[in-house]
Amino acid sequence: MQPVTLTVNGWVRTVVVRGSETLLDVLREQMGLTGAKPGCENGDCGACTVLVDGVPQKACLLLAAMAADCRVTTVEGLPRTQLQAAFIRCNAFQCGYCTPGFLVNAHALLACVAHPSERQTQEWLESNICRCTSYEEICEAVRTAADARDNGVAGEDEMPG
Amino acid sequence: MIPFDFEYLPAHTTAEAVAYYVSRAKAGQSPLYCGGATEVVTLGRIGQLETGAVIDIRHIPSAQVLTQRHDQVVAGAGVTLTQIADSVLIAETFPLLAASAREIADRTARNQITLGGNICGQIFYREAVLPLLVCESAVRLAGPNGLRELPMDRVFDQTLRLQPGEFLVQTATDTVLAGAPWVYVKRRKMGSVGYPVVSAAAIRVDRDIRVAVSGVYPFPVRALDLEQALNRRELPLSRRIEAAVSTIRADLVLDDVEAARGYRLFVLRDVLREIVESLDA
Amino acid sequence: MAGEGRSRWPADGANGQVTQRRTGEDRDGFQVRSGRIGRSVMRKDAEEKVTGRAEYTADVSAWGMLHAALLASPYAHARIVSIDTQRAITMPGVRAVVTGADYPQRTGLPIADRPLLAVDVVRYAGEPVALVVADELYQAEAALRQLDVVYHPLPALTSPREAFAPEAVRLHPDLAAYDVQPGEEVWPVPGTNIATHVRIRKGQPESVWSTCDAVVTCDVSFPQAHHAPMETHCVIASVAPDGCVNLVTATQSPYSVPEAIARTFGFRPSDVRVRTPLVGGAFGGKSSVYLEPLAVAATLAVGGRPVKLRCTREQEMRSMPCHIGLEARIRLGARADGRFVAVEITDWFDGGGYSDRGVIVTRAAAQDCTGPYRIDHVHCDAYCMYTNHPPTTSYRGFGHPEQTLVMERAIDLLAEQLRMDPLELRRRNAVRPGDTTPTQARLMRSSVGDVEGCLTRLRSLLPWDGPPVEDRDGEVIAKGISCFWKTSSTPPDASSGALVYVNEDSTVTLLSGLVEIGQGTKTTLAQMVAEVLGLAVEQVRVVMEVDTAEQPEHWKTVASRGSLLAGNAAVRAARDARAQLAATAAVVFQCRPEDVCISNGYAGCPYTSRRIPIGQLSRGYTFPDGHTVGGFVVGRGSYTIERVTLLDPATGRGVPGPEWTVAAQGVVVAFRPRDYTYRVLRAVTVVDVGRVISPNLAEGQLKGGMSMGLSLGSREGYVYGATGSVDNNQLRVYPIHRYGDQPEYRVAFLETPNADAPWGLRGLGEHGVIGMPAALANALSNALGQPVNSMPMTPELLWRLHTGAEVNDR
Ligand SMILES: Cc1cc2nc3c(=O)[nH]c(=O)nc-3n(C[C@H](O)[C@H](O)[C@H](O)COP(=O)(O)OP(=O)(O)OC[C@H]3O[C@@H](n4cnc5c(N)ncnc54)[C@H](O)[C@@H]3O)c2cc1C
Ligand code: FES
Ligand code: FES
């Protein structure tokens, strides 16, 4: 057991963790942030994706202790942008279990790449599995959100914290 | 959920890392070095790995470099595969390494998997090793007896043969070989994410093709006899490929949920053909 | 809008989606009044799902909650010699260890053939053998590793036909003694490995084979597969001080849980309360009651304290019931003009070590075995076989993707033999009103959609044109089509109830026991209620979470039955609420209740300009002097499925479902002969859904289903080790469609109304998936130039078929 100070969604908090505990378990079990989901706990599905210093990471693969001194952003802490609206408008989710992971990843994509090409979008989003939709809807949502941003539709794109 | 506990020890210098190792080994904790720790986590949770201490080498400055220095492309063991795949320097100086890195796992996982972890891991494929094998890169190791630098062909035999307490700090690759004409092919069961049925890195040096493959054996390999057969330019292409494939030890070929042995060999043929077609100028 | 129901019209739906409405009468009372029907609406669960606030079972925790971990058998078939729990029980944090010895009783629906935890033998690799309950999950998992189980491995039955062989070892020698749930149609054959034998006998096939001008025979097979919902099974169980069992569980069947728990543990069903929050994908895999009894055993072992039991992905793939496997043989005969004469089908389903819902899937596949074609002579034997593979349950399509693959492959082979266009061959045989199904149910325009219309539309939308194979850049562009139907396989008394409350602010709240598994039906129900009450959809709230103690029962959220059962119930509840409001308003307006008009949240009547907000009528209406008329408005509605009858065990004669949804599907593939790889370029579905209630939700369901069907057909399937264990039990090595694998999707709707359903709708939740494997198989057969009759259709399979390579020593 060791104390670790985490900055999650802009809030600084010290938690006592086992060295072998993953960030996913600490977020969900100790911090009450259940947005990141366990889907495989093996790095394969992306449902647990969070941002660590702005970079998408699978929280099930990351030791909580490794995230000390980093800025962690979960779906709960994502700024509200065109992206969420586009996910709703384009029917980019059904059961919603994969959605936090997709949103976090797509958010980072749009933050890092000004105009993601279809190839780039695939390179990023193939990290996540959605069993409900056909992916066409997610593709449409990400494109819609990127276009909306380019057209200056209101929506804040700053990373928090 | 990892059912056992371990100490997590971030090291900031090679000396600190080695010191952690020595003390934890003495305490009977069977310490492990780690990069992204993704394999420690995923094998730990299913009981295929156990340890009492994990020493994170990513914060060691020399493990973080990605640079060109003295006619060598140097990559730190703590660099992530995404950093390699996205690096402009690597794209220009060692595009084969970037290509192999880009095809491993998926991008989010690559944000965490390190070069050192991929090279030193237990998972059969370790595809980042392939470019290093064909380019005869050197590895720089640190351990209780200090630093050493060795060529891949001397330390890599199925796995990187590290001495107790030793870890990989950097790889160094001759600029000329790193920049040689290259091709990288990865064939999966299906789709664009997943382990290889066969993956191969190849370069052309003068007139000769060098190839290293993953997915054929339970380890990455550069086979000189295969290369020799493949380079018999006097033969028609199909004979060269048959000769190359006939050097494969069929009894060692992987035969598992991803692909049956016979199919792997079929894919290998096609991959070799593609390599020759694109490198045989 | 009402007028549009009378003519064919192309709708302006999203993305290549087209609607054709057939001339026909909407059933009385289902006229479209205000355009809420047929319009895309925002999902009711949208906001919570894009903010990470949506709650799933795994997100729930309870005060003082303990954690349970499951030990699964590594062997597919073995005798348990001993289980030593001594070391495990003394591990830190461990509160209890439960083994089969603690629970000798059997559980399982419809056949109670399964011990809670293995007793004496294990019948599949992954079978639960022991449970550890501890303060923390890691402690429970650590203790699992300290359990000493000694197994004596036995030879395993690793295919259904092997299990069918007379000399095969009997996996369930006590089959005759097992309890069968009353009313369920299963016919086990004691003394064999047959968990059910379904017989379909129609006409006299034996006597007509000689009249056929062409006869084809083919064998079709595929292994079991994983449902792969992103949320794994999870249950939290506790026992309250009064002895009531409380469960929170990710299930499609919350109302089946109390009975199952009661039967297994001796409670009264009403003592069991089940909560189901949002479910993170189900696809049929969460329709069985499988994990719940284990969680109850766990809480009982610790004095009723709450215990959470969640499957890891590995356990989800090895221990939980999966998609059924199949080995089938079909013989199909036709006259020279293409008319089908007779068909003979034998299905050996791979039902696994315990039968679970697999036996009902078997029945469903048999009842519709011909697909949507008129065939007067039918002989089908469908067996659900016990094997040493994982148990099986419903999977989106419930027996129909399986049956469709068998039939549609035979049709393409027949077309080849007859030198006929496959689409034309299907069109000629398309089932029409007046024809009968394999179970001799007579079809009416209302009960079956327009098969020919679907095919015609598919022809232009795919497009299906000329010879299907052409060359381009070394790639072969090939097309394949399939045609299918599906009815539900509900018990004849499948029911649903609904309550509609009118709130004081003139909004309404709908309660329904239907589970939101992603399909969006609760949003559709809100649309229906809004339509009946003349409200905006935003003014209708739906309670997403199901609580069996609070919501009226909904049979199960399966079989694409949500909109029919729960839809009818919700509509009736809304009408009841409307009638109650009107009765009160009539007193106030001093008019007849029929004259009261309720819309936009107000009650009005033609004789006065006065309008009263419905909220003011919701608790009775209070006049200025204080006297009050009417009462609390609670709209009640219920619906029980109509016209369904049991099947005759000897012939299968009966009516399995109220209506058939029909569809035609097609795919275009680009195939590379050089390495047998291919890409799906386009996938098309034309489906007769009766009525599109919500285009966005309907299209999403279909495209999602198509993606699942293509993924299943192309790459999914369990790979078993030599002894029958599932060896690819991680998503790392079980490929499923990812972003980038999607082809171009085209979806078109036909609307031939179903008289029994609200606004004439038909089920559609499963249908995207059903014909996709068959269409893909047909396309790849065309591309490869030889029959592709098994799944998954990986490049390795195509290579194997083409080169005749054996599966070497595997
Ligand atoms: C989702 C996913 C997909 C994958 N797909 C592929 C794939 O397609 N192809 C492929 O080749 N691999 C694949 N892998 C495997 C992955 O590349 C290896 O597991 C790799 O080891 C992970 O790197 P890491 O930095 O996280 O390793 P860690 O977990 O940190 O370490 C792995 C092992 O290497 C040792 N180690 C790490 N760094 C050093 C060092 N510098 N010196 C000495 N020893 C060290 C550790 O002690 C440990 O035993 C995949 C992994 C995941 C999670
Ligand atoms: S739960 Fe982390 S990737 Fe699946
Ligand atoms: S919406 Fe269900 S998995 Fe993506």
Side-chain angles (χ1 to χ4, degrees):
Chain A
M1 293 283 201
Q2 54 198 85
V4 170
T5 300
L6 296 172
T7 307
V8 183
N9 301 334
W11 293 41
V12 182
R13 207 170 129 183
T14 302
V15 285
V16 177
V17 305
R18 295 182 304 125
S20 63
E21 224 164 333
T22 62
L23 180 62
L24 179 64
D25 286 331
V26 171
L27 289 172
R28 291 177 55 82
E29 307 295 331
Q30 294 204 41
M31 308 190 93
L33 292 167
T34 55
K37 300 286 182 232
C40 65
E41 295 156 282
N42 196 49
D44 301 323
C45 74
C48 63
T49 307
V50 299
L51 302 182
V52 178
D53 289 336
V55 177
Q57 303 249 308
K58 291 176 175 172
C60 72
L61 290 179
L62 196 68
L63 298 173
M66 293 171 97
D69 307 322
C70 301
R71 282 179 302 121
V72 176
T73 308
T74 69
V75 66
E76 291 96 334
L78 281 188
R80 196 62 195 255
T81 65
Q82 289 301 317
L83 187 63
Q84 290 92 340
F87 262 63
I88 294 176
R89 199 162 47 242
C90 300
N91 306 294
F93 56 89
Q94 292 178 21
C95 81
Y97 201 80
C98 70
T99 313
F102 269 103
L103 284 171
V104 166
N105 200 2
H107 175 85
L109 168 66
L110 296 179
C112 294
V113 186
H115 306 279
S117 67
E118 193 39 59
R119 242 196 76 240
Q120 277 169 314
T121 308
Q122 176 175 343
E123 185 189 341
W124 284 62
L125 296 190
E126 70 187 8
S127 304
N128 302 58
I129 297 176
C130 174
R131 186 58 152 175
C132 297
T133 73
S134 75
Y135 296 106
E136 202 170 81
E137 301 87 347
I138 294 172
C139 174
E140 191 65 29
V142 173
R143 194 169 20 199
T144 307
D147 290 351
R149 183 185 56 182
D150 292 351
N151 298 335
V153 178
E156 190 213 351
D157 262 322
E158 283 300 295
M159 294 287 201
Chain B
M1 177 84 37
I2 300 174
F4 57 88
D5 199 7
F6 52 68
E7 240 185 311
Y8 169 74
L9 302 160
H12 296 87
T13 61
T14 50
E16 189 184 11
V18 171
Y20 276 144
Y21 187 93
V22 171
S23 64
R24 282 4 184 231
K26 201 173 287 168
Q29 285 174 268
S30 323
L32 281 179
Y33 293 108
C34 88
T38 66
E39 192 171 296
V40 173
V41 169
T42 53
L43 297 186
R45 64 179 277 277
I46 56 171
Q48 291 182 9
L49 176 151
E50 201 157 341
T51 174
V54 168
I55 304 157
D56 187 345
I57 61 102
R58 291 173 311 157
H59 304 291
I60 299 170
S62 51
Q64 275 301 335
V65 297
L66 214 46
T67 178
Q68 187 175 14
R69 205 186 286 152
H70 313 304
D71 299 330
Q72 285 184 319
V73 183
V74 180
V79 169
T80 69
L81 297 183
T82 299
Q83 285 173 319
I84 291 173
D86 285 1
S87 155
V88 175
L89 175 93
I90 296 295
E92 281 169 5
T93 57
F94 198 175
L96 177 59
L97 182 66
S100 76
R102 191 176 297 116
E103 295 294 322
I104 292 169
D106 58 66
R107 186 179 173 100
T108 308
R110 290 194 294 273
N111 289 341
Q112 198 176 339
I113 295 174
T114 60
L115 177 64
N118 185 271
I119 294 171
C120 302
Q122 289 183 36
I123 289 171
F124 295 159
Y125 310 106
R126 287 166 275 152
E127 293 169 281
V129 171
L130 302 175
L132 307 178
L133 287 175
V134 290
C135 294
E136 294 174 344
S137 306
V139 288
R140 295 176 177 158
L141 312 172
N145 301 324
L147 306 178
R148 30 176 213 151
E149 175 166 336
L150 291 160
M152 275 297 264
D153 58 343
R154 280 201 35 218
V155 271
F156 193 90
D157 175 16
Q158 305 195 2
T159 62
L160 195 62
R161 303 287 165 166
L162 298 170
Q163 286 168 3
E166 225 174 15
F167 71 97
L168 176 67
V169 185
Q170 291 175 341
T171 68
T173 309
D174 181 273
T175 323
V176 176
L177 291 169
W182 62 278
V183 47
Y184 188 78
V185 187
K186 178 165 179 174
R187 297 282 173 76
R188 301 174 181 83
K189 182 173 186 168
M190 267 219 136
S192 52
V193 174
Y195 289 148
V197 169
V198 173
S199 51
I203 58 172
R204 185 165 39 94
V205 183
D206 301 328
R207 282 163 56 89
D208 282 348
I209 294 174
R210 297 181 183 181
V211 195
V213 292
S214 262
V216 177
Y217 299 139
F219 44 84
V221 68
R222 175 179 172 208
L224 297 177
D225 47 352
L226 180 143
E227 281 177 11
Q228 241 168 33
L230 202 62
N231 285 320
R232 290 177 60 190
R233 303 167 67 107
E234 70 280 8
L235 297 179
L237 179 58
S238 58
R239 297 260 322 268
R240 284 162 70 185
I241 286 168
E242 279 320 307
V245 172
S246 68
T247 66
I248 296 289
R249 292 233 356 233
D251 57 322
L252 286 185
V253 174
L254 283 170
D255 184 26
D256 58 17
V257 297
E258 295 279 306
R261 178 174 300 146
Y263 180 63
R264 285 194 195 263
L265 290 174
F266 164 75
V267 175
L268 176 65
R269 278 190 185 83
D270 194 54
V271 166
L272 292 176
R273 177 179 294 266
E274 189 169 330
I275 287 169
V276 176
E277 281 169 355
S278 64
L279 286 185
D280 234 7
Chain C
M1 280 287 290
E4 288 176 354
R6 303 284 169 268
S7 62
R8 291 183 162 233
W9 59 290
D12 55 349
N15 234 1
Q17 166 225 312
V18 184
T19 306
Q20 284 182 359
R21 186 155 304 150
R22 159 175 280 279
T23 308
E25 290 299 312
D26 280 338
R27 191 190 201 184
D28 181 44
F30 286 120
Q31 270 90 28
V32 175
R33 292 166 19 127
S34 51
R36 282 147 202 115
I37 300 301
R39 284 286 155 84
S40 293
V41 292
M42 180 167 136
R43 298 177 66 101
K44 289 288 180 184
D45 50 8
E47 283 294 334
E48 47 184 327
K49 284 183 173 172
V50 297
T51 50
R53 309 293 166 76
E55 186 178 69
Y56 303 82
T57 302
D59 302 335
V60 175
S61 63
W63 194 80
M65 188 170 80
L66 305 177
H67 298 265
L70 258 186
L71 183 75
S73 163
Y75 294 100
H77 195 199
R79 203 158 42 76
I80 299 176
V81 178
S82 62
I83 304 181
D84 185 348
T85 59
Q86 277 310 312
R87 273 190 301 148
I89 195 85
T90 57
M91 293 281 289
V94 172
R95 301 294 165 189
V97 178
V98 189
T99 68
D102 300 314
Y103 290 99
Q105 63 267 47
R106 292 177 185 282
T107 185
L109 297 175
I111 305 177
D113 57 8
R114 164 179 113 235
L116 224 57
L117 291 157
V119 176
D120 300 334
V121 278
V122 288
R123 296 184 176 86
Y124 70 99
E127 180 167 351
V129 171
L131 268 170
V132 177
V133 187
D135 295 345
E136 301 289 343
L137 182 55
Y138 76 89
Q139 295 170 327
E141 289 192 1
L144 278 191
R145 296 180 185 186
Q146 302 303 320
L147 280 167
D148 264 327
V149 187
V150 180
Y151 299 93
H152 176 79
L154 300 169
L157 292 177
T158 57
S159 92
R161 290 187 77 167
E162 188 187 335
F164 189 72
E167 70 279 6
V169 44
R170 305 285 174 256
L171 296 183
H172 289 272
D174 298 335
L175 183 54
Y178 293 167
D179 276 350
V180 175
Q181 194 183 10
E184 283 283 13
E185 294 170 274
V186 284
W187 302 287
V189 186
T192 72
N193 289 317
I194 300 168
T196 194
H197 176 193
V198 186
R199 291 181 184 81
I200 305 294
R201 306 286 184 263
K202 175 183 166 187
Q204 285 90 36
E206 335 55 65
S207 65
V208 295
W209 285 111
S210 56
T211 68
C212 295
D213 299 308
V215 177
V216 292
T217 303
C218 85
D219 290 326
V220 171
S221 67
F222 46 87
Q224 297 175 327
H226 181 41
H227 295 85
M230 286 299 101
E231 176 203 37
T232 59
H233 281 81
C234 182
V235 186
I236 299 153
S238 60
V239 184
D242 64 1
C244 283
V245 179
N246 286 307
L247 293 163
V248 184
T249 174
T251 179
Q252 294 172 265
S253 313
Y255 296 90
S256 303
V257 176
E259 193 199 332
I261 296 299
R263 274 169 168 266
T264 308
F265 295 93
F267 295 100
R268 289 179 303 180
S270 59
D271 289 339
V272 183
R273 177 176 183 171
V274 179
R275 265 179 65 200
T276 298
L278 293 170
V279 172
F283 315 113
K286 290 177 180 151
S287 63
S288 305
V289 183
Y290 213 89
L291 198 62
E292 290 86 353
L294 292 167
V296 171
T299 184
L300 289 173
V302 291
R305 280 184 62 181
V307 178
K308 184 186 259 187
L309 174 59
R310 179 169 65 82
C311 284
T312 61
R313 178 59 59 182
E314 289 83 355
Q315 287 170 342
E316 186 83 6
M317 297 185 75
R318 274 190 149 185
S319 299
M320 290 295 112
C322 63
H323 174 228
I324 207 160
L326 176 65
E327 292 180 292
R329 168 157 291 181
I330 178 169
R331 181 152 76 120
L332 175 64
R335 292 200 314 244
D337 64 359
R339 279 303 311 234
F340 297 158
V341 175
V343 69
E344 187 181 275
I345 298 171
T346 313
D347 292 326
W348 293 272
F349 280 105
D350 188 349
Y354 301 99
S355 58
D356 206 72
R357 303 294 299 166
V359 286
I360 309 296
V361 174
T362 303
R363 191 201 80 197
Q367 86 204 7
D368 282 342
C369 64
T370 58
Y373 307 104
R374 175 179 167 172
I375 308 185
D376 294 338
H377 304 280
V378 181
H379 183 111
C380 171
D381 287 303
Y383 303 97
C384 183
M385 301 305 306
Y386 284 119
T387 66
N388 292 116
H389 285 160
T392 52
T393 188
S394 44
Y395 182 94
R396 202 174 191 178
F398 206 70
H400 291 74
E402 301 77 7
Q403 158 270 312
T404 301
L405 180 64
V406 175
M407 186 67 194
E408 295 294 307
R409 279 303 301 136
I411 294 179
D412 260 30
L413 290 172
L414 192 69
E416 206 178 303
Q417 209 181 93
L418 289 166
R419 293 174 190 283
M420 256 180 92
D421 176 65
L423 192 144
E424 176 57 21
L425 178 61
R426 286 173 171 82
R427 203 192 57 75
R428 264 184 215 183
N429 289 286
V431 81
R432 293 179 177 81
D435 294 343
T436 63
T437 73
T439 65
Q440 304 173 56
R442 191 155 303 277
L443 298 168
M444 297 170 299
R445 187 31 90 203
S446 157
S447 61
V448 69
D450 180 1
V451 182
E452 255 188 285
C454 290
L455 281 164
T456 306
R457 195 76 190 79
L458 179 71
R459 187 195 294 276
S460 56
L461 211 56
L462 189 56
W464 177 258
D465 44 9
V469 179
E470 61 197 56
D471 263 333
R472 202 165 75 195
D473 311 332
E475 287 192 334
V476 177
I477 309 296
K479 299 179 182 182
I481 57 168
S482 69
C483 204
F484 66 85
W485 63 1
K486 179 176 189 296
T487 189
S488 49
S489 314
T490 66
D493 61 351
S495 302
S496 186
L499 290 175
V500 168
Y501 296 128
V502 179
N503 303 314
E504 283 188 282
D505 58 7
S506 296
T507 61
V508 305
T509 300
L510 168 70
L511 296 188
S512 158
L514 179 125
V515 182
E516 179 50 62
I517 53 178
Q519 82 287 39
T521 309
K522 281 210 153 149
T523 302
T524 304
L525 298 183
Q527 270 179 286
M528 294 179 178
V529 169
E531 178 66 28
V532 172
L533 290 171
L535 292 170
V537 182
E538 295 69 40
Q539 288 169 284
V540 180
R541 290 180 179 283
V542 255
V543 179
M544 283 292 163
E545 178 177 301
V546 171
D547 182 335
T548 59
E550 289 175 359
Q551 267 103 335
E553 176 166 336
H554 173 73
W555 170 62
K556 289 178 187 179
T557 305
V558 300
S560 310
R561 283 287 69 128
S563 314
L564 172 74
L565 296 179
N568 267 321
V571 165
R572 289 174 184 189
R575 287 195 187 144
D576 186 33
R578 191 176 66 192
Q580 293 173 36
L581 291 168
T584 303
V587 176
V588 182
F589 292 137
Q590 302 196 328
C591 66
R592 283 173 307 211
E594 310 85 273
D595 293 335
V596 175
C597 161
I598 292 182
S599 75
N600 291 325
Y602 290 92
C605 105
Y607 313 121
T608 163
S609 59
R610 190 171 160 215
R611 300 190 315 153
I612 309 172
I614 56 173
Q616 267 183 43
L617 299 164
S618 65
R619 276 111 183 100
Y621 181 83
T622 304
F623 285 95
D625 66 357
H627 105 263
T628 301
V629 292
F632 199 89
V633 174
V634 181
R636 295 179 310 158
S638 75
Y639 179 77
T640 299
I641 208 154
E642 294 169 24
R643 283 192 268 285
V644 173
T645 65
L646 296 176
L647 305 187
D648 174 16
T651 62
R653 192 184 169 100
V655 184
E659 101 285 15
W660 279 257
T661 298
V662 300
Q665 293 187 311
V667 299
V668 184
V669 298
F671 172 69
R672 265 179 58 152
R674 167 178 172 155
D675 58 7
Y676 302 96
T677 57
Y678 64 90
R679 278 169 310 124
V680 178
L681 301 177
R682 181 182 307 136
V684 179
T685 298
V686 184
V687 56
D688 190 341
V689 291
R691 185 64 201 260
V692 181
I693 304 294
S694 175
N696 60 332
L697 295 177
E699 197 186 326
Q701 281 297 294
L702 282 157
K703 291 201 306 198
M706 291 160 79
S707 171
M708 193 167 174
L710 288 173
S711 183
L712 175 70
S714 64
R715 64 202 71 191
E716 295 184 35
Y718 284 162
V719 182
Y720 308 102
T723 59
S725 59
V726 172
D727 280 3
N728 54 343
N729 67 331
Q730 292 190 323
L731 297 175
R732 184 90 53 90
V733 286
Y734 184 97
I736 70 182
H737 259 203
R738 284 178 184 260
Y739 189 102
D741 289 320
Q742 71 272 23
E744 174 201 355
Y745 288 104
R746 292 183 182 175
V747 174
F749 296 114
L750 264 54
E751 298 190 315
T752 306
N754 161 28
D756 291 339
W759 293 280
L761 63 83
R762 298 170 190 276
L764 61 80
E766 302 165 279
H767 299 72
V769 83
I770 295 176
M772 272 294 126
L776 182 64
N778 287 340
L780 290 172
S781 300
N782 290 339
L784 195 66
Q786 71 191 88
V788 179
N789 295 342
S790 39
M791 301 196 287
M793 296 167 246
T794 57
E796 178 171 344
L797 174 82
L798 303 181
W799 165 78
R800 201 177 290 297
L801 289 171
H802 199 235
T803 58
E806 292 293 317
V807 185
N808 44 10
D809 50 2
R810 300 204 70 238

